[in-house]
Amino acid sequence: MKTYQINDIITNLAEPAAYYVGVFEDTPDPDIEWPHKHSFYSVIWFTQGSGINVIDFDEYEILPNRIFTINPVQIHNWNYSIDSQGYFLLIEKHFAKQMNIDFSFPFVDLTTNDIPFIEEIFKRMSSNNNQLVAIPYLFSLLFNFETHHHKLNNTIQLFSIRN
């Protein structure tokens, strides 16, 4: 199984990049094998569309306003609808380690209140506006969403066990 670098996915990069921010529907589909692995961290926010995302052999539904997080070398495959839209952020391991990034959940579902805020962060990052400030900020928010999701699931499980 092949492991891909950022410049294998984003083929028009003039030189290797520590990170890349893009708009999903504006980026040509790369010619890659399925399934595959990445040598980098990935954050993919589907703002529109549907399908299935497989991460380490577990299937997850692609839904609007779901952000997928993929660590390096996780086995990955997806099948998404032609109308899929959103944003993505690819970060090399060395750069991610400087920011203490490591994902413990495969996805985060955004609430209606989160969407305008996260959208503004991605728009600024994709326009090269304050990327070095916005990237760690985005990850701190994702970490908080993951922590909240984990606490909520534990509470639900505890409630289920007691009843």
Side-chain angles (χ1 to χ4, degrees):
M1 181 176 315
K2 184 162 179 160
T3 301
Y4 291 92
Q5 311 293 323
I6 289 178
N7 60 343
D8 294 324
I9 305 295
I10 309 300
T11 57
N12 63 348
L13 291 177
E15 57 187 58
Y19 60 89
Y20 182 85
V21 180
V23 177
F24 195 79
E25 61 273 19
D26 294 343
T27 305
D29 286 333
D31 185 21
I32 55 178
E33 297 174 12
W34 300 100
H36 65 270
K37 299 177 189 179
H38 299 163
S39 66
F40 52 88
Y41 291 83
S42 304
V43 175
I44 305 98
W45 175 23
F46 285 92
T47 58
Q48 178 179 311
S50 61
I52 297 293
N53 191 0
V54 180
I55 304 170
D56 287 342
F57 305 104
D58 292 321
E59 286 189 8
Y60 303 98
E61 188 175 3
I62 294 172
L63 298 171
N65 298 312
R66 177 167 280 179
I67 296 180
F68 287 97
T69 56
I70 304 171
N71 290 310
V73 303
Q74 284 188 294
I75 297 170
H76 167 69
N77 185 10
W78 58 14
N79 185 9
Y80 52 84
S81 61
I82 191 122
D83 67 334
S84 293
Q85 294 182 7
Y87 299 91
F88 63 93
L89 170 60
L90 312 176
I91 301 181
E92 288 292 352
K93 282 193 289 190
H94 71 278
F95 190 62
K97 292 298 178 193
Q98 292 174 6
M99 294 185 281
N100 257 354
I101 295 170
D102 195 39
F103 303 121
S104 55
F105 294 95
F107 66 87
V108 173
D109 289 322
L110 298 178
T111 67
T112 304
N113 292 335
D114 299 328
I115 294 168
F117 192 59
I118 299 297
E119 185 172 36
E120 182 63 26
I121 292 170
F122 268 102
K123 282 182 178 178
R124 286 177 183 239
M125 288 190 307
S126 62
S127 68
N128 294 323
N129 187 3
N130 296 323
Q131 284 183 340
L132 292 178
V133 173
I135 290 172
Y137 188 62
L138 174 66
F139 282 110
S140 72
L141 290 174
L142 289 177
F143 176 75
N144 286 333
F145 293 152
E146 285 183 340
T147 303
H148 173 74
H149 175 77
H150 181 69
K151 286 179 182 175
L152 180 62
N153 279 347
N154 282 347
T155 303
I156 291 169
Q157 286 175 354
L158 285 173
F159 182 75
S160 298
I161 290 170
R162 290 182 181 165
N163 289 330

